[in-house]
Amino acid sequence: MTTPDVWLPFPPAELASLPSSLNYVHWNGEPDFPADPARCAFYAVPYMKGAEVAVRPLAHMPRVRVVQTLTAGVEHMLPRVPDLPADAVLCNAGDLHNTSTGELALALALAAQRDIPGAVRNAQQGRWESAVRPSLADRHVLILGYGGIGGAVEDRLLPFEVAEVIRVASRARESERGPVHGIDELPGLLPRAEIVFVTTPLTEATRGLVGAEFLARMPDDALLVNVARGAVVDTKALLAELEAGRLRAALDVTDPEPLPAEHPLWRAPGVLITPHVGGPTSAFRPRAERLLHAQLARFAAGEPLRHVVATGGASTV
């Protein structure tokens, strides 16, 4: 019996203690494949190489059993799930990005609340301009999409003495920290949410969820922080609120993305934009390696994989 191939986006020699029963191949999105894709049983998807690169080998991998992304969102992979073998699984990155995305969400909120962008612009012009700014302390905060990243945001919020954390997920449940509200409760929750963190996955149910009606229910001068996916927010509706000066926004993701240089969102008042940098930090590589080690150990031992979000032939997301 032939040894199954594992395609890795990192050089195998840099990953210690990999299961010896597997054969390892390094591919990080280069034009040429390093080996016959038909031999691949475990495909770890290159990180930040784009959807076209991510799915390109799949058409040549009839024996693949695991497709492991290094991203929390898998919407770029889902269109190919029906073409995977029936016993194949698609896994997301689990909690890999909780740390770095939680950090960025908090940084965006603090920077927007204390108007750090305005201070940078003033510094460039040598202008000293003081003002009273809203604090993160004593704010009523809503986290939309209370999963791993949402929980990581709350971890980082609590030391800042926020008045309240309102947790919202697709369905109501209890968490260690308190109740999680169902998404159907949003209309009654949004009017007291002075800061809304968007951390939900992009699915057909969440696409455009943060639209005109959602935004209209947020109180005046509230801040929207999006570290999820750009398409969760209706850009046109958000622009209307920003240009009216009623709401503010701090966005790591946009729709469209990358945001064209001429797009009016760049110049809208009260907006802070970072170029989708929630994941790529120094925290990424060690956590990605730990994820791959754990998943490969399970695969080699014939144990169920973790973080399964879809199976061959049909999505379960």
Side-chain angles (χ1 to χ4, degrees):
M1 188 171 73
T2 59
T3 303
D5 281 358
V6 174
W7 283 30
L8 296 171
F10 311 129
E14 296 179 7
L15 304 178
S17 304
L18 293 171
S20 58
S21 58
L22 303 170
N23 183 58
Y24 300 97
V25 174
H26 176 220
W27 186 70
N28 196 30
E30 292 81 8
D32 295 328
F33 294 146
D36 183 0
R39 290 173 47 88
C40 180
F42 188 113
Y43 169 44
V45 179
Y47 184 56
M48 294 187 67
K49 298 296 184 179
E52 184 177 349
V53 169
V55 302
R56 183 157 61 90
L58 290 177
H60 311 284
M61 292 180 169
R63 298 180 181 86
V64 72
R65 294 295 174 265
V66 180
V67 178
Q68 173 68 62
T69 72
L70 298 179
T71 55
V74 295
E75 67 277 0
H76 59 304
M77 306 298 294
L78 290 178
R80 297 304 302 270
V81 166
D83 301 327
L84 295 178
D87 58 348
V89 294
L90 171 66
C91 304
N92 75 357
D95 60 3
L96 193 165
H97 295 291
N98 291 6
T99 295
S100 57
T101 307
E103 284 180 357
L104 182 64
L106 187 69
L108 287 171
L110 286 167
Q113 290 292 93
R114 303 301 288 269
D115 192 27
I116 300 302
V120 171
R121 289 190 294 269
N122 285 341
Q124 291 171 341
Q125 299 175 32
R127 185 169 62 234
W128 185 281
E129 188 176 280
S130 184
V132 176
R133 303 294 183 191
S135 177
L136 189 55
D138 308 325
R139 298 307 102 192
H140 295 265
V141 176
L142 186 147
I143 300 174
L144 176 63
Y146 193 76
I149 292 176
V153 171
E154 182 173 15
D155 290 343
R156 289 153 180 78
L157 278 174
L158 294 181
F160 286 83
E161 303 177 27
V162 294
E164 177 186 26
V165 176
I166 307 164
R167 308 166 195 88
V168 179
S170 57
R171 292 179 297 276
R173 66 176 191 273
E174 289 295 322
S175 74
E176 292 181 359
R177 287 209 171 103
V180 179
H181 300 271
I183 204 164
D184 57 309
E185 299 178 65
L186 272 174
L189 299 171
L190 286 169
R192 72 174 191 261
E194 297 166 285
I195 303 176
V196 173
F197 288 91
V198 182
T199 60
T200 186
L202 176 62
T203 67
E204 288 310 306
T206 63
R207 186 178 296 274
L209 174 62
V210 182
E213 183 177 348
F214 182 110
L215 296 168
R217 291 182 181 275
M218 292 173 61
D220 291 351
D221 201 41
L223 173 68
L224 180 77
V225 181
N226 189 5
V227 292
R229 289 292 187 266
V232 175
V233 176
D234 182 326
T235 301
K236 183 178 179 180
L238 178 60
L239 262 173
E241 293 283 10
L242 294 171
E243 290 171 347
R246 201 185 72 79
L247 297 180
R248 297 171 294 125
L251 311 172
D252 184 48
V253 289
T254 60
D255 183 26
E257 190 176 302
L259 194 64
E262 67 279 5
H263 199 284
L265 193 57
W266 283 116
R267 289 166 287 282
V271 66
L272 167 60
I273 299 172
T274 53
H276 202 152
V277 293
T281 71
S282 59
F284 168 75
R285 179 65 183 259
R287 286 159 180 79
E289 290 185 13
R290 289 200 292 268
L291 170 70
L292 291 173
H293 274 109
Q295 294 287 68
L296 285 167
R298 284 183 165 82
F299 179 69
E303 298 174 356
L305 276 290
R306 296 185 63 198
H307 316 305
V308 174
V309 295
T311 56
S315 169
T316 60
V317 176

